[in-house]
């Protein structure tokens, strides 16, 4: 059943991807990218990777469409026809694809218990996590503790990407995501549409609450800082769409976003430094408390909070940067 | 029973993709994406029970909560674009 579902979803994924590449209508491409992301998340879910699926869901379903539309507002509606011959790129892509498909023949079958990936460190993680960290979601244990260095690296990648986008777009004066004429509607947002406004505003507290649940329930179920950050950012973006950028920035000003971005990355690093000062290795949370299991859990909660702050801050800064650019 | 339901949902997803690919109007595509999102929520819920992992319903909940934000952004995008076009047309009339 897993195979059947995965093959069906992947076939639709290929069809969508080809359509995205072929279409010249950029708006259609944005809509199809939304479908692409939904298909990808469903596929991750069918393969039992709930944490990854939740990330893809949180980023793909809400935020990436909004950011793509922000980019579309800055550019033309249609892609320009390029006069270059497309045969050479096509040949290169076909050869690469054939090589990759050929390579998969040597791959162990899906779910094969003898596959190298299930024989390397995974059994150790599964057998030792209850003793060392005592949380049910082993994925969070791997991300937060065993591979804490890698996750720290990921946070810095998000941090750097955020800075790079802000450099490119410039953080000018605050504006609306979609520029509008200077008339009575210039306050922005979907203020004059009662139904989206009432329903949307009712939903915002629940979105934020769910984000906090994902943040703090990450040790027990799918979730963690990355997913929670994206969900909370989606809630604030919904507020900005309904009430206008100006009010969203008044509620959560750019200075606060900067503190979140920098503070999140610093919090993660500081946890590691404190571990060293207390006599352990960098990011070895066992020394944070007299009981090493409690120390591990405390460390994971702290670094996940850092991740959540940084991701929320970066996503919202990028959103506001697009909006400021569209108005300028 | 879950298998029958999931196959039905997959067929609906395929139909929504066909509509999103063929268009022709932007509203067809918006509705197709919105419907595809709803079907993903349903598929995730059904598959969660099919595989005996009902705790994964969190994922369906996340979708249900934030799936419509993209559609709202699309609506605002077109609202502001048509306003700008009207203003541009009015300015052209004035200058004539």
């Amino acid at each position: 059943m897993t195979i059947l579902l995965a093959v069906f979803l992947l076939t639709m994924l290929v069809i969508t991807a080809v359509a995205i590449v072929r279409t010249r209508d950029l708006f259609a491409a944005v809509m199809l990218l939304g479908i692409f992301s939904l298909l990808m998340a469903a596929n991750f879910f069918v393969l039992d990777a709930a944490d990854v699926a939740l990330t893809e869901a949180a980023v793909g379903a809400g935020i990436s469409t909004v950011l793509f539309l922000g980019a579309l507002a800055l550019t033309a509606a249609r892609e320009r026809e390029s006069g270059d011959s497309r045969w050479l790129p096509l040949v290169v892509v076909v050869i690469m694809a054939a090589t990759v498909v050929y390579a998969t023949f040597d791959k162990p079958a899906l779910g094969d218990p003898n596959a190298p990936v299930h024989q390397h460190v995974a059994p150790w993680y599964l057998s030792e996590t209850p003793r060392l960290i005592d949380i049910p979601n082993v994925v969070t244990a791997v991300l937060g503790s065993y591979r804490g260095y890698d996750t720290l690296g990921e946070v810095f990648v998000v941090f750097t990407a955020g800075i790079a986008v802000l450099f490119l777009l410039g953080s000018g004066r605050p504006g609306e995501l979609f520029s509008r004429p200077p008339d009575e509607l210039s306050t922005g947002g979907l203020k004059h549409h009662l139904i989206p406004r009432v329903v949307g505003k009712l939903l915002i507290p629940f979105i934020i609450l769910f984000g906090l649940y994902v943040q703090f329930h990450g040790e027990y179920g799918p979730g963690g800082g990355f997913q929670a950050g994206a969900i909370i950012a989606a809630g604030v973006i919904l507020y900005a769409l309904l009430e206008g950028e100006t009010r969203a920035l008044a509620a959560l000003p750019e200075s606060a976003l900067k503190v979140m971005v920098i503070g999140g990355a610093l919090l993660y690093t500081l946890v590691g430094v404190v571990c060293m000062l207390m006599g352990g290795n960098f990011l070895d949370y066992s020394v944070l408390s007299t009981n090493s299991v409690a120390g591990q859990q405390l460390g994971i909660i702290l670094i996940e909070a850092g991740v959540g702050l940084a991701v929320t801050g970066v996503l919202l800064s990028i959103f506001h940067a697009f909006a400021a650019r569209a108005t300028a | 029973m879950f298998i029958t339901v999931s196959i039905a949902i997959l067929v609906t997803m395929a139909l929504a993709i066909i509509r999103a690919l063929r268009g022709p109007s932007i509203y067809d595509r918006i509705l197709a994406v919105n419907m595809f999102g709803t079907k993903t929520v349903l598929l995730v819920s059904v598959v969660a029970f099919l595989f005996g992992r009902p705790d994964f319903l969190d994922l369906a909940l996340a979708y249900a909560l934030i799936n419509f934000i993209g559609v709202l952004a699309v609506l605002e995008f077109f609202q502001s674009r048509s306003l700008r076009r009207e203003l541009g047309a009015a300015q052209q009339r004035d200058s004539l």
Side-chain angles (χ1 to χ4, degrees):
Chain A
M1 191 61 203
T2 308
I3 303 277
L4 195 74
L5 273 170
V7 167
F8 191 85
L9 290 171
L10 284 175
T11 313
M12 290 204 278
L13 196 72
V14 170
I15 295 171
T16 318
V18 171
I20 292 171
V21 174
R22 283 194 55 82
T23 182
R24 294 272 163 200
D25 182 353
L26 289 179
F27 177 75
V30 171
M31 293 285 92
L32 289 172
L33 275 169
I35 290 188
F36 185 89
S37 152
L38 288 164
L39 276 170
M40 205 66 227
N43 207 21
F44 287 143
F45 181 76
V46 166
L47 294 175
D48 234 6
D51 286 79
V52 194
L54 192 56
T55 314
E56 180 71 40
V59 176
I63 293 168
S64 63
T65 309
V66 178
L67 290 185
F68 279 133
L69 285 170
L72 198 55
L74 298 176
T75 180
R78 291 188 71 79
E79 193 181 339
R80 206 171 46 219
E81 295 285 341
S82 86
D84 302 339
S85 161
R86 296 158 114 192
W87 286 108
L88 181 65
L90 187 67
V91 169
V92 172
V93 167
V94 167
I95 292 174
M96 288 303 292
T99 319
V100 171
V101 170
Y102 178 69
T104 58
F105 293 148
D106 271 349
K107 206 167 77 65
L110 178 66
D112 180 2
N114 294 319
V117 67
H118 299 307
Q119 297 297 323
H120 184 47
V121 286
W124 188 87
Y125 286 155
L126 289 175
S127 68
E128 297 299 303
T129 299
R131 189 174 66 80
L132 292 175
I133 307 182
D134 194 25
I135 57 174
N137 188 356
V138 183
V139 177
T140 303
V142 174
L143 276 180
S145 183
Y146 303 132
R147 315 290 311 174
Y149 276 31
D150 301 4
T151 311
L152 180 64
E154 278 179 59
V155 171
F156 279 123
V157 167
V158 170
F159 179 70
T160 317
I163 291 178
V165 172
L166 290 183
F167 261 126
L168 280 176
L169 289 175
S171 184
R173 67 193 172 82
E176 298 294 330
L177 180 58
F178 308 123
S179 66
R180 42 185 73 243
D183 58 4
E184 82 278 6
L185 279 175
S186 63
T187 42
L190 293 165
K191 271 188 188 159
H192 299 264
H193 298 264
L194 195 61
I195 294 173
R197 196 172 166 206
V198 170
V199 177
K201 279 178 92 170
L202 267 178
L203 272 174
I204 291 172
F206 293 103
I207 295 177
I208 307 275
L209 184 66
F210 185 71
L212 291 171
Y213 160 77
V214 169
Q215 169 86 49
F216 293 108
H217 200 256
E219 287 104 87
Y220 306 100
F226 287 99
Q227 294 90 336
I231 292 172
I232 293 174
V236 180
I237 287 177
L238 175 63
Y239 183 72
L241 285 173
L242 293 171
E243 293 289 327
E245 285 280 309
T246 335
R247 292 194 60 181
L249 273 174
L252 203 58
E254 256 178 271
S255 51
L257 293 178
K258 273 181 194 143
V259 170
M260 284 169 82
V261 175
I262 299 162
L266 272 183
L267 175 63
Y268 199 142
T269 323
L270 272 180
V271 172
V273 173
V274 167
C275 290
M276 282 166 75
L277 291 178
M278 291 178 77
N281 291 323
F282 186 63
L283 292 175
D284 174 15
Y285 317 127
S286 303
V287 293
L288 286 177
S289 164
T290 44
N291 178 350
S292 77
V293 174
Q296 286 283 348
Q297 291 180 351
L298 177 68
I300 290 180
I301 288 175
L302 284 173
I303 63 121
E304 289 279 10
V307 173
L309 280 175
V311 170
T312 315
V314 166
L315 286 174
L316 286 176
S317 303
I318 293 176
F319 172 75
H320 288 308
F322 266 110
R325 180 72 175 234
T327 310
Chain B
M1 186 184 70
F2 287 134
I3 295 180
T4 324
V5 174
S6 43
I7 289 172
I9 294 174
L10 286 176
V11 171
T12 325
M13 285 169 107
L15 292 174
I17 284 202
I18 293 173
R19 184 42 67 205
L21 292 179
R22 292 176 58 91
S25 85
I26 48 174
Y27 300 103
D28 292 317
R29 297 189 205 271
I30 296 171
L31 270 179
V33 172
N34 200 16
M35 188 173 110
F36 200 87
T38 318
K39 295 307 158 223
T40 313
V41 174
L42 294 178
L43 183 73
V44 167
S45 319
V46 172
V47 170
F49 281 101
L50 182 66
F51 289 176
R53 307 282 297 266
D55 48 324
F56 283 5
L57 276 178
D58 283 6
L59 192 65
L61 207 57
Y63 265 130
L65 278 174
I66 60 181
N67 178 39
F68 72 106
I69 293 178
V71 177
L72 276 187
V74 171
L75 296 178
E76 197 186 330
F77 176 72
F78 281 106
Q79 174 185 283
S80 65
R81 199 171 74 170
S82 62
L83 277 175
R84 253 179 302 159
R85 284 202 180 144
E86 275 172 32
L87 190 81
Q91 276 170 348
Q92 274 187 345
R93 266 202 312 278
D94 291 346
S95 61
L96 283 176

